[in-house]
Amino acid sequence: MMGNFIQFDAAAIRELAQILRETDLTEIELVDGESRLRVVRQSIVAAPAAVTVAAPVAAAVAGPAPIAAAVAPEALDADHPGAVTSPMVGVAYLSPEPGAAPFVTVGSKVAQGQTLLLIEAMKTYNQIKAPRAGTVTRVLIESGMPVEYGEPLMIIE
């Protein structure tokens, strides 16, 4: 039914796809009344070579060919048994406020339940706590960095 088709600005969709690439987010959704626009970037992992191919996909717009990107070693840390992963999408902060010392650094000994960092989502700061006691061996993010659900944040061994 052509009468129900909603026209979206192609330049705005391209701009949203660019934001996805710049922030490493995989999805943006805009809702205005009954109008809805969802832009999704899919990642495909090749089994033995462990290479991720990122392709911007926009609803109602056909885009250019997929853009290939190599997987950073940190991406493999999601499978590490000591990985602390993000329980939500948001912006990660390693310290309680700008200019303050971080909650933990590499080499810090942590107790189960100790605050490791904050993730701001919808103007709410959520404490991310250590799932177990151990030593922080890697910090995989930077303060102020956008993070996604399931993204590895730190390694505790």
Side-chain angles (χ1 to χ4, degrees):
M1 251 163 101
M2 288 301 285
N4 290 336
F5 184 73
I6 300 170
Q7 292 290 334
F8 288 102
D9 181 10
I13 294 170
R14 283 188 198 93
E15 189 172 331
L16 289 172
Q18 180 65 30
I19 290 169
L20 287 176
R21 283 190 296 274
E22 290 172 358
T23 61
D24 286 332
L25 293 173
T26 58
E27 180 177 328
I28 294 177
E29 184 172 358
L30 300 174
V31 179
D32 183 21
E34 291 188 24
S35 300
R36 179 179 142 183
L37 173 65
R38 182 172 168 227
V39 181
V40 178
R41 185 180 78 174
Q42 297 176 336
S43 295
I44 303 169
V45 177
V51 174
T52 299
V53 177
V57 178
V61 173
I67 300 170
V71 172
E74 293 82 22
L76 303 175
D77 290 326
D79 296 329
H80 190 284
V84 177
T85 58
S86 179
M88 66 190 69
V89 174
V91 178
Y93 295 98
L94 298 174
S95 60
E97 59 187 39
F103 290 105
V104 296
T105 58
V106 172
S108 295
K109 301 253 186 248
V110 296
Q112 182 175 356
Q114 180 179 339
T115 300
L116 301 173
L117 61 120
L118 302 174
I119 295 181
E120 184 267 325
M122 298 178 62
K123 301 186 186 208
T124 301
Y125 290 87
N126 302 280
Q127 294 181 5
I128 306 306
K129 298 182 182 269
R132 63 187 181 97
T135 302
V136 176
T137 58
R138 293 187 67 191
V139 177
L140 305 172
I141 57 163
E142 294 181 25
S143 201
M145 182 174 157
V147 295
E148 296 183 36
Y149 175 81
E151 182 176 340
L153 306 169
M154 293 185 182
I155 304 292
I156 298 176
E157 293 181 351

